[in-house]
Amino acid sequence: TATLNLTINYSTSSTEDVTACDTYNWNGVDYTNSGVYTYSTTNANGCDSTATLNLTINYSTSSTEDVTACDTYNWNGVDYTQSGVYTYTTLNASGCDSTATLNLTINYSTSSTEDVTACDTYNWNGVDYTNSGVYTFSTTNANGCDSTATLNLTINYSTSSTEDVTACNTYNWNGVDYTQSGVYTYTTLNAAGCDSTATLN
């Protein structure tokens, strides 16, 4: 009579489905590509233990954008008014990091104001102005942004007068003795600093 006291221990196996971003560490190894990986060892009973990893690696994304703008630039809901390098991080369609970098150059609009007093007419940027007022001229500066010039213009006017005089022998007018009939003119400046022309008949 033979008696067998038999103990059967069993091998074990496991399967794991994993989705990760960029890299996944499994049993001390970094995996950066999707695939099916196995790891074999022995279980507590000394039998084979095989683990299978069904790995999906999704990748982070990044982008860089060079932008030149005037005065302000709105990017992802934020207004930027100074040049600089800005980053914005969100998640891409795979649920991994998506980092956008903005290389921003801000150029600025310019403005100037000029106070001018002139007689009768003033030519500004090719236009003759004959009335006092505030005038503006818009163009673009060297950076391609708005350039607005403001002219505060005061127009003073020249004056003239005519005088008919009949005299005997001689007539003194503005310090000069006239002894002959004629039409004479005298030019000076009026109180506004513009020409004042008097005519003597």
Side-chain angles (χ1 to χ4, degrees):
T1 301
T3 300
L4 174 66
N5 295 318
L6 178 62
T7 300
I8 295 291
N9 292 322
Y10 298 98
S11 298
T12 54
S13 65
S14 63
T15 301
E16 186 180 8
D17 297 319
V18 171
T19 300
C21 291
D22 300 321
T23 185
Y24 184 71
N25 186 287
W26 188 57
N27 293 307
V29 179
D30 289 324
Y31 294 89
T32 57
N33 293 303
S34 299
V36 179
Y37 301 97
T38 57
Y39 179 76
S40 297
T41 184
T42 55
N43 58 24
N45 295 318
C47 297
D48 288 341
S49 174
T50 303
T52 300
L53 173 66
N54 295 322
L55 179 62
T56 301
I57 293 290
N58 294 322
Y59 298 99
S60 299
T61 53
S62 63
S63 62
T64 300
E65 185 179 8
D66 298 318
V67 171
T68 299
C70 291
D71 300 320
T72 185
Y73 184 71
N74 185 287
W75 189 56
N76 293 306
V78 178
D79 289 324
Y80 295 89
T81 58
Q82 295 188 6
S83 299
V85 179
Y86 302 96
T87 57
Y88 178 77
T89 302
T90 185
L91 297 179
N92 59 23
S94 299
C96 297
D97 286 342
S98 174
T99 302
T101 300
L102 173 66
N103 296 321
L104 179 62
T105 301
I106 293 290
N107 293 322
Y108 299 99
S109 299
T110 52
S111 63
S112 62
T113 301
E114 186 179 7
D115 298 318
V116 171
T117 299
C119 291
D120 300 320
T121 185
Y122 183 72
N123 186 286
W124 189 55
N125 293 306
V127 178
D128 289 324
Y129 295 89
T130 57
N131 292 304
S132 299
V134 178
Y135 302 96
T136 58
F137 179 77
S138 296
T139 183
T140 54
N141 59 24
N143 293 321
C145 297
D146 288 341
S147 174
T148 303
T150 300
L151 173 66
N152 295 322
L153 179 61
T154 301
I155 293 290
N156 294 321
Y157 299 99
S158 299
T159 53
S160 63
S161 62
T162 300
E163 187 178 6
D164 297 320
V165 172
T166 300
C168 294
N169 300 319
T170 186
Y171 183 71
N172 186 286
W173 188 57
N174 292 310
V176 178
D177 289 324
Y178 294 90
T179 58
Q180 295 187 9
S181 298
V183 178
Y184 301 97
T185 57
Y186 178 76
T187 302
T188 184
L189 297 179
N190 60 22
C194 296
D195 287 343
S196 174
T197 302
T199 300
L200 173 66
N201 295 320

